[in-house]
Amino acid sequence: EQYNNLSRFANDVILLVDVDGAIVTVNDRAADVYGYSLDQFHGMNIRQLRAPSARTAFDTEWELANERGSLIFETVHRRRDGSEFAVEVSTRSIIVKGKTLQQGILRDISDRKQAERELSESEARFRQLVESAPYGILVVDRQLVLYANAEAVRMFGAAMPDDLVGHSLLERAHPEEHESMLRRTLEVASGTASPVIERRYLRLNGEEFWAAVSAAAIEYNRRPAGLLFYRDITADKRAGEEHTRLEEQLRQAQKMESVGRL
């Protein structure tokens, strides 16, 4: 009577089954969840609550539950109307009037599973966007590279992300940039606004290139980190240098022409 009074109005489904899986008793919540009346549960077997696609694992889980005395697992059940839903099952062997029974506490986790699927899909979409971005993207902890997208791998002349991940970003920076990089790291970590700057880097083959870099403080794997965006501006810089060189040549030519006229 005490057990029935405690379990009857619980929010989770609570049932007792014998050694063969026959349902001995259920609480009121079971009728709400499965659509059967309390009388209809008597004479049913716990296997009948399983969705057809999940029945093949029943024997293994049942055997483990009896061997260990308790077990927690997830599976799929089916309501009377045929609809299926995910459940978390917690079983424990108990003695009732000298008989060993399995107590099962079942919780509908459909909402949680749906949230997990949506989160997984969202993460997959975000990763696809990041990996296909036309900008190099790095995540760094101080100077240690934690993540590099495909464009960053290409930009630094690497063959794979592991050529960058786990290494210090200082290894890929021009020596004259080290002091400025360390100072900027402290600024980003403190939350100071970080404008886009131009910086020289070295590809893995030693070739120098220029990049426009922006940075922001983020949390990555539950730790503070820096998110860096790179745009290769080497061609722009070379074009600018060539333009400056041509302007200087023009000025020199104009000077010589002036001297000739004089």
Side-chain angles (χ1 to χ4, degrees), residues 161-176:
D162 287 347
D163 291 335
L164 300 175
V165 175
H167 297 270
S168 173
L169 189 56
L170 292 174
E171 296 176 12
R172 303 271 55 86
H174 192 281
E176 295 180 5

mmCIF file of all heavy atoms in Angstrom, residues 161-176:
data_model
loop_
_atom_site.group_PDB
_atom_site.id
_atom_site.type_symbol
_atom_site.label_atom_id
_atom_site.label_comp_id
_atom_site.label_asym_id
_atom_site.label_seq_id
_atom_site.Cartn_x
_atom_site.Cartn_y
_atom_site.Cartn_z
ATOM 1 N N PRO A 161 44.618 20.344 -41.000
ATOM 2 C CA PRO A 161 44.488 21.167 -39.786
ATOM 3 C C PRO A 161 45.520 20.845 -38.713
ATOM 4 O O PRO A 161 45.974 21.739 -37.985
ATOM 5 C CB PRO A 161 43.062 20.859 -39.309
ATOM 6 C CG PRO A 161 42.324 20.494 -40.543
ATOM 7 C CD PRO A 161 43.309 19.746 -41.385
ATOM 8 N N ASP A 162 45.904 19.566 -38.594
ATOM 9 C CA ASP A 162 46.857 19.181 -37.552
ATOM 10 C C ASP A 162 48.221 19.830 -37.732
ATOM 11 O O ASP A 162 49.026 19.859 -36.794
ATOM 12 C CB ASP A 162 47.019 17.659 -37.506
ATOM 13 C CG ASP A 162 45.797 16.974 -36.892
ATOM 14 O OD1 ASP A 162 44.973 17.698 -36.296
ATOM 15 O OD2 ASP A 162 45.677 15.743 -37.011
ATOM 16 N N ASP A 163 48.499 20.347 -38.937
ATOM 17 C CA ASP A 163 49.762 21.054 -39.141
ATOM 18 C C ASP A 163 49.761 22.381 -38.394
ATOM 19 O O ASP A 163 50.835 22.954 -38.146
ATOM 20 C CB ASP A 163 49.984 21.311 -40.635
ATOM 21 C CG ASP A 163 50.245 20.027 -41.407
ATOM 22 O OD1 ASP A 163 50.717 19.060 -40.788
ATOM 23 O OD2 ASP A 163 49.956 19.999 -42.619
ATOM 24 N N LEU A 164 48.566 22.874 -38.033
ATOM 25 C CA LEU A 164 48.450 24.133 -37.300
ATOM 26 C C LEU A 164 47.971 23.915 -35.870
ATOM 27 O O LEU A 164 48.489 24.527 -34.936
ATOM 28 C CB LEU A 164 47.483 25.075 -38.016
ATOM 29 C CG LEU A 164 47.845 25.476 -39.453
ATOM 30 C CD1 LEU A 164 46.707 26.309 -40.060
ATOM 31 C CD2 LEU A 164 49.147 26.269 -39.474
ATOM 32 N N VAL A 165 46.961 23.048 -35.714
ATOM 33 C CA VAL A 165 46.384 22.797 -34.392
ATOM 34 C C VAL A 165 47.425 22.173 -33.470
ATOM 35 O O VAL A 165 48.131 21.233 -33.849
ATOM 36 C CB VAL A 165 45.151 21.875 -34.504
ATOM 37 C CG1 VAL A 165 44.625 21.502 -33.113
ATOM 38 C CG2 VAL A 165 44.062 22.545 -35.322
ATOM 39 N N GLY A 166 47.511 22.714 -32.269
ATOM 40 C CA GLY A 166 48.489 22.218 -31.303
ATOM 41 C C GLY A 166 49.825 22.932 -31.371
ATOM 42 O O GLY A 166 50.714 22.658 -30.568
ATOM 43 N N HIS A 167 49.963 23.856 -32.331
ATOM 44 C CA HIS A 167 51.195 24.626 -32.479
ATOM 45 C C HIS A 167 50.939 26.079 -32.092
ATOM 46 O O HIS A 167 49.814 26.564 -32.133
ATOM 47 C CB HIS A 167 51.704 24.559 -33.925
ATOM 48 C CG HIS A 167 52.069 23.173 -34.380
ATOM 49 N ND1 HIS A 167 53.332 22.647 -34.228
ATOM 50 C CD2 HIS A 167 51.316 22.198 -34.955
ATOM 51 C CE1 HIS A 167 53.357 21.415 -34.713
ATOM 52 N NE2 HIS A 167 52.144 21.120 -35.158
ATOM 53 N N SER A 168 52.008 26.769 -31.745
ATOM 54 C CA SER A 168 51.898 28.184 -31.411
ATOM 55 C C SER A 168 51.765 29.002 -32.682
ATOM 56 O O SER A 168 52.467 28.764 -33.670
ATOM 57 C CB SER A 168 53.120 28.643 -30.622
ATOM 58 O OG SER A 168 53.094 30.055 -30.444
ATOM 59 N N LEU A 169 50.888 29.989 -32.647
ATOM 60 C CA LEU A 169 50.706 30.867 -33.801
ATOM 61 C C LEU A 169 51.957 31.703 -34.044
ATOM 62 O O LEU A 169 52.194 32.163 -35.174
ATOM 63 C CB LEU A 169 49.492 31.770 -33.580
ATOM 64 C CG LEU A 169 49.019 32.606 -34.763
ATOM 65 C CD1 LEU A 169 48.723 31.732 -35.970
ATOM 66 C CD2 LEU A 169 47.787 33.414 -34.379
ATOM 67 N N LEU A 170 52.752 31.884 -33.025
ATOM 68 C CA LEU A 170 54.006 32.637 -33.182
ATOM 69 C C LEU A 170 54.942 31.956 -34.180
ATOM 70 O O LEU A 170 55.772 32.628 -34.813
ATOM 71 C CB LEU A 170 54.709 32.788 -31.837
ATOM 72 C CG LEU A 170 54.015 33.689 -30.804
ATOM 73 C CD1 LEU A 170 54.748 33.623 -29.474
ATOM 74 C CD2 LEU A 170 53.943 35.133 -31.311
ATOM 75 N N GLU A 171 54.817 30.640 -34.322
ATOM 76 C CA GLU A 171 55.651 29.910 -35.279
ATOM 77 C C GLU A 171 55.347 30.349 -36.709
ATOM 78 O O GLU A 171 56.202 30.239 -37.592
ATOM 79 C CB GLU A 171 55.417 28.402 -35.153
ATOM 80 C CG GLU A 171 55.827 27.815 -33.813
ATOM 81 C CD GLU A 171 55.484 26.338 -33.728
ATOM 82 O OE1 GLU A 171 55.153 25.739 -34.780
ATOM 83 O OE2 GLU A 171 55.533 25.771 -32.623
ATOM 84 N N ARG A 172 54.152 30.827 -36.944
ATOM 85 C CA ARG A 172 53.712 31.187 -38.283
ATOM 86 C C ARG A 172 53.736 32.695 -38.507
ATOM 87 O O ARG A 172 53.314 33.172 -39.551
ATOM 88 C CB ARG A 172 52.284 30.675 -38.549
ATOM 89 C CG ARG A 172 52.131 29.185 -38.377
ATOM 90 C CD ARG A 172 52.413 28.421 -39.669
ATOM 91 N NE ARG A 172 53.702 28.679 -40.270
ATOM 92 C CZ ARG A 172 54.825 28.034 -39.931
ATOM 93 N NH1 ARG A 172 54.812 27.126 -38.982
ATOM 94 N NH2 ARG A 172 55.959 28.302 -40.558
ATOM 95 N N ALA A 173 54.194 33.456 -37.521
ATOM 96 C CA ALA A 173 54.249 34.908 -37.648
ATOM 97 C C ALA A 173 55.665 35.354 -37.977
ATOM 98 O O ALA A 173 56.650 34.736 -37.565
ATOM 99 C CB ALA A 173 53.787 35.572 -36.354
ATOM 100 N N HIS A 174 55.770 36.453 -38.729
ATOM 101 C CA HIS A 174 57.070 37.058 -38.997
ATOM 102 C C HIS A 174 57.685 37.486 -37.667
ATOM 103 O O HIS A 174 56.974 38.017 -36.799
ATOM 104 C CB HIS A 174 56.900 38.257 -39.927
ATOM 105 C CG HIS A 174 58.181 38.778 -40.479
ATOM 106 N ND1 HIS A 174 59.032 39.583 -39.747
ATOM 107 C CD2 HIS A 174 58.770 38.616 -41.701
ATOM 108 C CE1 HIS A 174 60.073 39.889 -40.476
ATOM 109 N NE2 HIS A 174 59.940 39.309 -41.676
ATOM 110 N N PRO A 175 58.986 37.251 -37.456
ATOM 111 C CA PRO A 175 59.615 37.598 -36.166
ATOM 112 C C PRO A 175 59.347 39.026 -35.708
ATOM 113 O O PRO A 175 59.202 39.278 -34.503
ATOM 114 C CB PRO A 175 61.103 37.363 -36.432
ATOM 115 C CG PRO A 175 61.119 36.300 -37.492
ATOM 116 C CD PRO A 175 59.939 36.600 -38.366
ATOM 117 N N GLU A 176 59.242 39.951 -36.645
ATOM 118 C CA GLU A 176 59.010 41.345 -36.256
ATOM 119 C C GLU A 176 57.598 41.587 -35.729
ATOM 120 O O GLU A 176 57.313 42.655 -35.181
ATOM 121 C CB GLU A 176 59.282 42.260 -37.455
ATOM 122 C CG GLU A 176 60.742 42.268 -37.906
ATOM 123 C CD GLU A 176 60.966 43.184 -39.092
ATOM 124 O OE1 GLU A 176 60.009 43.886 -39.491
ATOM 125 O OE2 GLU A 176 62.099 43.210 -39.621
#
